[in-house]
Amino acid sequence: MKTGTLIIGAGLAGVCVALQARGPVLLLSPNRLGEGCASDWAQGGIAAAFDADDHPQAHARDTIEAGGGIVDAESARLLSESVADAVRDLADIGVPFDRNDGGFALGREAAHSRARIVRVGGDGAGHAIMEILVQALRRCKNVRVLEGVQARDLLLAQGRVAGVLARDGDGKAVRIRARRTVLACGGIGQLYRFTTNPAASRGEGIAMAARAGAVLSDMEFVQFHPTAIDTGGDPLPLATEALRGDGAVLLDRQGTRFLRRVHPSSELAPRDVVARAIQRERKLGPVFLDARGIKDLSARFPALLRACRGAGIDPCREAFPVLPAAHYHMGGIAIDANGRTSLPGLWACGEVASSGCHGANRLAGNSLGEAIVFAKRIARDRKDDGADFTRFDLPCIDDIPEDNGAEDKDIEQLRDLMSRRVGIERDESGLRFACGKLLQWKRKSRAGGRLSNMSTAALLIAVSALQRRESRGCHFRLDAAAATLPPQRSAITLAQAEDIAGQASSLPQEQPISL
């Protein structure tokens, strides 16, 4: 099987590339198109400078300030100057953004200097956008969608990426040739015990690119959303940050607003500050989000109402328990302004990529906008420098391991390890320990399998966190001062990560893995 443009992943980033790409396009979706992706679950909306008192430069400044000193200024400029037009385009094809008499109704979220969040139904932006885009995609005659197909490794030919090795819906291996391959397969939230991300967010796109030799960037920066609803589920439902923007407050076990003594912006402090404050407060007892003061709560935030009532909670009458959960990864496959990776023939978009827009701490409302803006740039990047390959070199793996449940215990231990040692607060001893364990898991698992992919992505995060000997943004080291080193983005390959992990850990390779 061969195509012009191959897109791996069918969330917002992948669908947007497919809608705008020229020539034959093949889109691989592990689930039914539009379902089971983080984009579909996104609540908060898209940040864009629409207000008369706002400007793209102010949006870029807020993005850079929130990003802990390492935001790529050019990427922030591209995002802030392009995202308003992207929102207008979505509105033109039928996305029902919330409106007021003067245009889009704008909400404010943490670390924004102005109200600039464009929403749908209060907290339903992601689902509404995906619904409209999927309908549009199904009408595209140049796009073929393969549902239930799981990409497992990249194919290489003559020193470049030339397609993918995948497993189809019947479990059979299939090799797909492509002039252009785009990874748009989401984030890494499922590497952690508590996450708001769907089951597919296991870092497998990062692992595939890393095995092929791609450069990864900013892998240590994992954003924990402060207010996942503590229902005991996996994943946990999200209480959007827009609630705090509209007046919801965080309460400790005694009903006191504890954030007032932590940060001058209180509930509107940056996400990493709020997440750490909640994490520490929870050592003393449960933490609650009180949204009862928001007028018309049930009408304005229907997703919240559904999630709470599914757990037997009525947010209109009572505060509900929350905890920080892995939510978004600022790091990923390093890309340039056109979404190109360090590997010829490979582009990346969305959460699997690291454009530099988010730095050390993503500004609320920027993830959906980044996916749309960079998807358009990838679709319009016509410098293919590709070839019509008649043969492949060997792929990074020579077959596809079965995910038969034999590794489930190891995967659950990996998630606990990441939460305890590579979570909201970190230190050198914990990171060294994690590097050793993750290296063992990677070496004992078969490349391309679920444990192999998860341990590969987790190892890159842990090693990058070990290497950054400072606290910056959402990377918080208990044993290091805040942002004392010159601001610099990190870059690493899998070979480098394995070498560093081997040196950092004193664990013999044959030592049993246990927590």
Side-chain angles (χ1 to χ4, degrees):
M1 188 182 301
K2 66 179 181 179
T3 187
T5 298
L6 171 65
I7 303 169
I8 302 168
L12 180 64
V15 169
C16 283
V17 175
L19 282 169
Q20 299 173 87
R22 300 174 184 175
V25 175
L26 184 62
L27 177 70
L28 305 188
S29 177
N31 306 301
R32 181 174 171 80
L33 184 61
E35 296 179 359
C37 61
S39 305
D40 188 55
W41 295 9
Q43 296 183 10
I46 302 175
F50 281 110
D51 191 84
D53 294 330
D54 203 359
H55 192 277
Q57 292 177 351
H59 183 188
R61 281 197 301 270
D62 288 350
T63 297
I64 291 169
E65 185 174 345
I70 62 166
V71 169
D72 182 271
E74 178 63 13
S75 292
R77 183 190 67 79
L78 288 174
L79 172 63
S80 63
E81 292 182 355
S82 306
V83 69
D85 284 341
V87 171
R88 292 187 188 98
D89 290 343
L90 291 173
D92 288 343
I93 64 171
V95 176
F97 291 111
D98 297 346
R99 303 275 186 163
N100 58 28
D101 294 338
F104 295 115
L106 303 176
R108 184 177 178 184
E109 296 191 12
H112 283 276
S113 59
R114 296 168 176 83
R116 62 168 68 97
I117 308 298
V118 183
R119 306 171 183 169
V120 181
D123 55 4
H127 179 73
I129 292 169
M130 287 300 299
E131 189 173 45
I132 295 296
L133 293 182
V134 166
Q135 292 173 9
L137 187 67
R138 292 197 183 278
R139 296 192 295 268
C140 284
K141 295 182 179 180
N142 68 314
V143 179
R144 180 184 177 191
V145 178
L146 294 182
E147 297 177 326
V149 176
Q150 302 248 354
R152 304 316 291 263
D153 213 31
L154 297 174
L155 295 170
L156 306 175
Q158 303 169 32
R160 58 177 283 125
V161 173
V164 72
L165 177 66
R167 187 190 297 280
D168 67 15
D170 296 322
K172 297 178 181 178
V174 57
R175 285 171 168 79
I176 303 171
R177 290 186 291 168
R179 292 173 61 86
R180 293 158 45 92
T181 300
V182 182
L183 283 172
C185 38
I188 53 85
Q190 285 286 328
L191 299 182
Y192 290 86
R193 170 56 57 203
F194 300 114
T195 180
T196 63
N197 289 183
S201 298
R202 295 185 291 261
E204 295 190 275
I206 285 172
M208 287 190 288
R211 274 196 301 273
V215 174
L216 294 304
S217 187
D218 299 340
M219 289 295 293
E220 63 270 35
F221 297 113
V222 180
Q223 188 174 73
F224 293 82
H225 197 288
T227 54
I229 306 171
D230 188 7
T231 63
D234 183 16
L236 295 171
L238 178 68
T240 174
E241 192 163 356
L243 288 161
R244 284 179 284 131
D246 283 4
V249 295
L250 285 158
L251 307 175
D252 63 17
R253 66 196 185 283
Q254 297 174 331
T256 302
R257 288 182 63 183
F258 60 93
L259 271 168
R260 287 174 165 173
R261 59 179 182 266
V262 175
H263 193 277
S265 296
S266 195
E267 275 77 13
L268 292 181
R271 283 183 174 179
D272 62 303
V273 174
V274 179
R276 286 196 301 273
I278 294 174
Q279 177 91 337
R280 293 171 180 175
E281 195 64 39
R282 288 186 76 249
K283 294 177 182 178
L284 303 175
V287 169
F288 300 89
L289 185 65
D290 188 353
R292 289 172 291 182
I294 298 178
K295 187 178 180 180
D296 298 326
L297 177 67
S298 59
R300 293 173 59 197
F301 296 97
L304 170 76
L305 196 71
R306 288 193 299 271
C308 284
R309 288 187 172 170
I313 301 166
D314 185 351
C316 298
R317 295 178 177 273
E318 59 186 319
F320 51 91
V322 293
L323 55 79
H327 181 61
Y328 190 86
H329 190 204
M330 277 69 71
I333 307 163
I335 61 170
D336 67 11
N338 290 314
R340 288 175 169 254
T341 73
S342 62
L343 301 178
L346 183 67
W347 286 252
C349 190
E351 194 173 351
V352 75
S354 181
S355 67
C357 272
H358 308 306
N361 200 22
R362 175 179 67 94
L363 183 67
N366 274 353
S367 56
L368 297 181
E370 182 207 25
I372 298 166
V373 167
F374 278 82
K376 185 175 184 178
R377 298 185 69 84
I378 289 172
R380 294 189 175 185
D381 183 16
R382 302 311 304 163
K383 188 180 177 183
D384 290 335
D385 57 64
D388 188 11
F389 299 110
T390 57
R391 66 177 180 83
F392 292 122
D393 300 334
L394 287 177
C396 300
I397 57 177
D398 55 11
D399 66 355
I400 303 178
E402 292 281 352
D403 291 324
N404 55 14
E407 296 176 329
D408 286 354
K409 181 179 178 181
D410 288 329
I411 288 173
E412 294 309 304
Q413 287 190 14
L414 181 151
R415 297 178 71 193
D416 286 334
L417 175 73
M418 289 294 289
S419 294
R420 295 175 185 176
R421 308 286 186 163
V422 199
I424 295 175
E425 296 181 325
R426 307 158 175 182
D427 62 31
E428 182 171 351
S429 63
L431 291 169
R432 286 181 179 273
F433 180 83
C435 287
K437 296 294 188 184
L438 292 165
L439 189 59
Q440 288 183 45
W441 271 311
K442 181 184 179 301
R443 286 172 171 169
K444 85 168 195 174
S445 57
R446 294 183 61 195
R450 187 163 296 165
L451 177 62
S452 172
N453 284 340
M454 293 178 72
S455 59
T456 296
L459 180 67
L460 288 158
I461 294 170
V463 169
S464 298
L466 178 65
Q467 291 291 95
R468 187 172 287 279
R469 295 177 172 86
E470 64 172 358
S471 291
R472 186 181 293 275
C474 64
H475 169 69
F476 190 83
R477 289 278 297 257
L478 291 166
D479 56 350
T484 57
L485 302 176
Q488 184 175 357
R489 298 181 65 195
S490 65
I492 197 168
T493 65
L494 180 57
Q496 292 169 338
E498 290 186 276
D499 183 56
I500 293 168
Q503 296 179 39
S505 172
S506 60
L507 294 169
Q509 293 184 22
E510 67 275 9
Q511 181 171 326
I513 297 173
S514 65
L515 296 181

